[in-house]
Amino acid sequence: MIWKVILWVSVIWLVPLMYFFLKNEAKFKKNIAVGVTFPYAEHRHPDILALLARFKRELGWACLALLVLAAVLMFLPVSFGVMMTIWLVWVDLCIVLPVAPYVKCNKALKALKRERGWSSTRRQAVADLTMAAQPEKKASPATFVLALVVSALPVWWALGGGDVTEGLALLVGPACVALFWVCYRWAFRRKAEVVDEDEDLTAALTRLRRRAWRRCWVWGVWFMALLSWAMLLSFDRPILGLILTLLLSAALVASMVGLEFRLRKLQEKLTAGSGRDFYVDEDDKWLWGMFYYDPDDSHLMVNARVGLNATVNLARPAGKVIMFLTAALLLLMPLAGVWLMGEERAPVTLTLTDTALVAGHASTRYEISLEDIQSVELLEELPDIRRVAGTAMDTVDKGRWRSDQYGTLTACLDPRTGPWLLVRAGETTYLVGSGDGGAGEVYAALKTLLDGQTVPAGQSG
């Protein structure tokens, strides 16, 4: 039961985050509310306020429904694979369902805007190239290089200890640090934040966004650098590693959310009096107020109109590909749960031939040559083992594991059904078993074969 609670607690915070993030869209920033631009004089128009109020009510009900659904699903008496499938479907709903009231309100506001003739007559003037070209304070490359070194040290530590599997797993840290560095340098359109004719306002908004963007990626690379050490710690001290990972994740999420909402608050405050005469109106370039489409813009990545976010230009072929892959990933996520259902239902087998001991589960197969076997023990009790890389379910443990008693292990066993075989072959120690509890028979046949006597081929358990 505890793993179910941990699983749901790890994502249920997305609901209030989506609620407050989307609710904030109803506040005018740069003359924009829910993705629609209005002149300053109409910000308090009763029809606009009524649509915004309805949007916030519908958003609240959608988020409440998601929380209630999560509370019910959390306690369903189902297996890990089934729960993961349900969980991933819920995550998809969490991303999509709160957006539905936003899209509905955006369309209603645009219809009202057209009906009242509130579109700006100077929409084409959307960039102040002079301000955009001004030098900006950039994060020092030394910051990223140092984070890269810190994230790579656990890899060096693991490889130095002779554990290639751990070292490869820890490469995620340096890879993400390098990726974040690239994103900071190139995944942002360096354009000014023009709202109206006030150049000082444009300069202030531009500095604020660029400063927030810089902090976002600097915090991100140091999160990954420290997370590498948490992963290294988890191999020997899984509880401490998990606690450190949770603390780091909570700190990063809190920092990023705080950064986003502080930037939005400043944008709201600084632009509260803008749009009295000339104002920028790019609504025709934003589908549903969320997706950017401008064939005249050569940039692939552009910054969102409010907040810190960036998005892709769907008018570019690469933008269409990125959006398609993102949507496909979200839709196909539940298939990972279906795959896990197949994994947990597949039997663990143990087979002895004239030349090898073979442990298998689903598509995984470990073949241990009899010539390499140095010793074999029959264990009536399963030792305390910790996963390094592999699968851990109620019905199967396989992959790379570690034990204080036996060191690093390659496992393929059903933890519910003993006994189990501890096999030392060359430099590898295997811990294997079968789902039908036939490891004892295989052990007897294996001992006979290793002692030089004949055993029928295909003895299995």
Side-chain angles (χ1 to χ4, degrees):
M1 177 60 69
I2 186 64
W3 65 264
K4 294 181 181 179
V5 175
I6 294 175
L7 184 68
W8 284 96
V9 168
S10 68
V11 296
I12 204 168
W13 56 269
L14 286 173
V15 177
L17 179 61
M18 288 287 288
Y19 172 75
F20 288 110
F21 180 82
L22 290 172
K23 183 181 177 183
N24 183 264
E25 292 283 321
K27 296 182 178 181
F28 275 97
K29 294 172 284 292
K30 302 164 70 174
N31 300 306
I32 302 168
V34 192
V36 182
T37 308
F38 291 98
Y40 175 82
E42 309 302 338
H43 288 188
R44 305 299 299 174
H45 193 283
D47 291 343
I48 295 177
L49 296 180
L51 289 173
L52 295 178
R54 186 181 71 179
F55 159 66
K56 288 187 283 188
R57 287 196 303 271
E58 293 176 350
L59 174 65
W61 283 114
C63 291
L64 179 60
L66 285 169
L67 290 175
V68 172
L69 183 61
V72 173
L73 296 175
M74 185 186 306
F75 298 101
L76 289 179
V78 295
S79 66
F80 179 78
V82 174
M83 181 59 73
M84 280 298 298
T85 304
I86 294 172
W87 182 78
L88 290 169
V89 170
W90 182 89
V91 170
D92 274 348
L93 285 175
C94 183
I95 296 171
V96 174
L97 190 59
V99 174
Y102 180 95
V103 173
K104 179 181 176 182
C105 183
N106 176 267
K107 295 171 68 175
L109 288 172
K110 282 185 175 180
L112 177 64
K113 179 180 176 179
R114 288 192 301 269
E115 177 186 331
R116 301 299 175 89
W118 288 336
S119 296
S120 171
T121 58
R122 300 173 64 181
R123 287 173 295 176
Q124 70 278 10
V126 295
D128 185 330
L129 299 180
T130 302
M131 277 307 310
Q134 292 300 311
E136 61 178 283
K137 181 180 179 181
K138 294 182 179 180
S140 171
T143 300
F144 294 92
V145 171
L146 182 58
L148 188 62
V149 171
V150 171
S151 66
L153 286 175
V155 180
W156 173 80
W157 188 298
L159 293 177
D163 200 317
V164 177
T165 302
E166 288 185 10
L168 292 176
L170 291 169
L171 280 175
V172 173
C176 286
V177 170
L179 177 62
F180 289 1
W181 191 357
V182 171
C183 288
Y184 167 69
R185 291 291 303 275
W186 289 288
F188 186 65
R189 180 179 175 184
R190 306 289 180 178
K191 73 171 185 177
E193 302 290 310
V194 185
V195 179
D196 55 24
E197 296 163 321
D198 187 343
E199 293 186 0
D200 291 336
L201 175 61
T202 300
L205 292 172
T206 301
R207 286 195 301 270
L208 286 172
R209 183 189 285 269
R210 291 176 177 176
R211 183 181 67 182
W213 184 259
R214 181 174 67 250
R215 290 179 177 178
C216 169
W217 293 110
V218 168
W219 294 350
V221 297
W222 280 105
F223 166 76
M224 292 307 308
L226 296 176
L227 185 63
S228 293
W229 288 95
M231 292 175 62
L232 179 65
L233 179 62
S234 67
F235 294 144
D236 291 316
R237 299 289 184 268
I239 300 300
L240 290 178
L242 176 61
I243 292 174
L244 181 56
T245 299
L246 292 176
L247 290 175
L248 287 172
S249 300
L252 179 68
V253 170
S255 299
M256 292 297 188
V257 171
L259 182 64
E260 173 71 21
F261 280 95
R262 282 196 300 272
L263 178 59
R264 285 169 170 259
K265 185 66 176 178
L266 289 170
Q267 290 172 337
E268 178 186 353
K269 180 179 179 181
L270 291 175
T271 62
S274 64
R276 296 177 186 272
D277 183 17
F278 159 73
Y279 60 95
V280 172
D281 185 346
E282 290 186 298
D283 290 358
D284 56 341
K285 298 178 181 178
W286 290 87
L287 309 177
W288 297 343
M290 297 182 295
F291 304 110
Y292 184 72
Y293 185 92
D294 184 4
D296 297 325
D297 190 340
S298 62
H299 292 86
L300 171 62
M301 300 296 298
V302 298
N303 47 274
R305 291 193 287 178
V306 298
L308 174 62
N309 198 17
T311 187
V312 296
N313 184 359
L314 293 178
R316 306 265 69 81
K320 292 183 178 69
V321 171
I322 293 173
M323 187 58 66
F324 172 79
L325 292 177
T326 302
L329 177 62
L330 291 175
L331 292 175
L332 296 177
M333 277 198 314
L335 293 182
V338 175
W339 174 76
L340 288 173
M341 290 169 59
E343 285 280 297
E344 67 184 0
R345 293 176 181 177
V348 180
T349 60
L350 194 60
T351 304
L352 180 64
T353 70
D354 287 329
T355 59
L357 175 65
V358 182
H361 173 263
S363 60
T364 302
R365 177 183 172 90
Y366 298 105
E367 188 168 334
I368 311 169
S369 173
L370 297 184
E371 295 180 353
D372 296 332
I373 295 179
Q374 300 165 345
S375 65
V376 58
E377 298 178 41
L378 185 67
L379 305 180
E380 295 295 339
E381 293 186 4
L382 186 65
D384 183 24
I385 57 177
R386 304 182 299 276
R387 180 178 57 176
V388 175
T391 301
M393 297 183 182
D394 293 338
T395 58
V396 60
D397 291 340
K398 64 179 180 179
R400 196 77 158 177
W401 292 70
R402 177 172 290 177
S403 165
D404 291 336
Q405 185 176 0
Y406 300 109
T408 300
L409 302 169
T410 297
C412 185
L413 57 93
D414 185 332
R416 304 170 301 174
T417 309
W420 301 271
L421 298 183
L422 184 73
V423 182
R424 293 181 174 86
E427 298 181 354
T428 306
T429 302
Y430 296 89
L431 183 61
V432 297
S434 63
D436 59 6
E441 298 178 8
V442 173
Y443 172 75
L446 180 60
K447 290 291 289 183
T448 300
L449 190 57
L450 291 177
D451 289 340
Q453 301 181 31
T454 303
V455 62
Q459 177 70 45
S460 63

